[in-house]
Amino acid sequence: MDKSLLPNIYEFISKTYPFSQLSELEKDATATKIQITYHSPGDVLEDETLAGAGLFMVRAGVVETRYKNDGSLRGRFSVGDTFGFTQMDKEGKSDYKAVFLENTLLYLLPRTVLHYLIEKNKAVGDYFDSKEWVRLSSSHNYADEISEEEKQSSTFKSIDSVCNHDLAIVTSRTSIVDTAIKLGEHNTDMAVVIDYDEIKGVVTKSDITLKAVAKSMDINSPINEIMTRNLMTIDANQSVYDALEMMVMYDIKNIPVMKNNKVIGTVSTTSLLQNSQLQTVYLCQELQTAKDVEKIIALSKQKQEIFETLVTTNVKPHTIQKVMSHIADNFAQAFVRIAEEKLGRAPVDYAFVAAGSQARSEVQFLSDQDNCIITKTELNDEQREYFVKLAKFVTENLDKCGYPLCDGNFMASNPRWVASLDTWKSYYTKWISDTDQDAILSSSVFLDMRCLYGHTLLVKQLRMHLIETAKNNSRFMATLMNISAAVSPPVGTFRQFVLTKDGDNKPYLNIKKQAINLIIEMARLYGICAQSDTTDTYERLKAAVKAELLKEEEYKELSEAYTFLNSVRFNHQLKAMKNGEKLSNNIVPNDLSQFERNHLRDAFQIIAKHQKGALFRFSGGRGVL
């Protein structure tokens, strides 16, 4: 090889995943082993020139692979694409032939070199694994190559590096007053209660104020009378965002930090705010105390900054969804509280309920409002008027905060969706027994519900009614599955994307409707079948494994596909935000990296396979009813 070409080869593999994950020494060695070939239009690689050769990387030009028996198209490859891997360990005869359509420059990585890299480098090994879910799992740390500066930023720091190591430790028999003195000595908000090297609980300044002083308790009473016993802890090696997620999800302000089963420190919302660019905790705290509508609307501007920070710093898509959902919950709760202050106490017990994506804690920037109200008893005209006013106030103000009104009017401001528990049960019973596709399709948003404000038990009772009624109605389950299966993931016979044209005749795929929703809908069905009360897509799939409806490997396939698809969606939305473009779920494959396109195909293959399995399980393999 002409050594003057080595810098070009080195630069190419440094920008091509997974070879970009090699060490500098490995990249140098790999570059020297690459062979360069040139091909003219009409040239063909097959049999001895293809079988057993290695991995071909297209540096410039276009090549097609065609099956030898009938000449049908297998795939088309351009700059950055690779082919030949499936023929690498064959001898003599190849399964297909490569036909060059343009003047093409190929880099060939010999099979012995690639085998060595697969064995020695995990990123390379995962990328070329035979299992789609393993290939997808290799994508999690990619995100267009996180910079070293970002990796060193506070968002990736371990909790150990930001927690307070100056512990206030007491025993369960330490008095309340002595515990208060200990907190002052260590200038901390939380004391850890430890007996015989075992953590028994925690107590905060707030606990002493609200549980002891405010109730005139004897300050010489033992601290175990007011301590929190069922506490949550976090491992010292977990990240700042792991702690943030826990605090946001469970409204915790202090968490003990553990290492080797021992408490080594505490982390608080204050320390996270000081060490993280993310203002989620601050925003939620502001919303929980806000009483002014205009102030709440002004706070909504922070949502985009939070979303951009989460995506840019490569936070897990599931965490992004949960954080954005928790923020949406806080906005809704704030407006319900203010509405109650304006209208007076509610005439009957009720629950203000999230439906759709918010119920699943899957809010993202294109999520609109889906909500309803469940009352404990039937309403008279005067009582109904109260809830109509409350719902109108909440939904209109949420719209001003960037949570658009639902086009289908699936909101609490629609009188139909303000009803008693018994009426809601009758809705479900009718949808399930009639199995009318139009009715189910128009109301499917309410198949997922989560209480945002009020009496959680009302929502729990309704969801259990749904599960109990639906699990015994195979026709309803089949109808849901058939409706879902009417949409297929957009990948064709030869792993080419099947695209739709928009108003400007530009080809695109809708990653929400043609992929993400298909996993959500299958998970919902499996969750109902497993009699799981959760609305979380991942948890529903786990419940299906526990109920032996799915195998562990099948869970990994669907969860990895779901994670990757959301990652692509969020990065697509982030790019649109930064370019000042309109956000959408429509993705043009040519705008994606080759890495993303390859893994999209893997995700679509997984969905297609599981659709067939779910169709067989829930509808005996029949088509749409």
Side-chain angles (χ1 to χ4, degrees), residues 11-22 24 27 123 127 138-151 156 311-314 567 571 593 595-596:
E11 181 181 7
F12 179 76
I13 63 174
S14 295
K15 295 180 178 179
T16 303
Y17 196 90
F19 305 109
S20 58
Q21 304 302 298
L22 299 174
E24 298 304 311
K27 289 176 186 174
Y127 186 81
S138 73
S139 70
H140 297 337
N141 296 321
Y142 182 63
D144 292 326
E145 298 296 332
I146 302 168
S147 68
E148 287 302 316
E149 182 179 349
E150 287 174 327
K151 288 179 181 178
F156 284 91
V311 179
T312 300
T313 51
N314 206 37
S567 178
N571 279 291
S593 67
F595 177 92
E596 290 173 316

Side-chain angles (χ1 to χ4, degrees), residues 356-376:
S357 61
Q358 190 172 358
R360 297 189 299 272
S361 294
E362 294 173 351
V363 168
Q364 39 85 36
F365 249 81
L366 290 174
S367 297
D368 62 0
Q369 290 186 55
D370 295 310
N371 45 55
C372 64
I373 289 176
I374 305 171
T375 61
K376 188 174 183 179

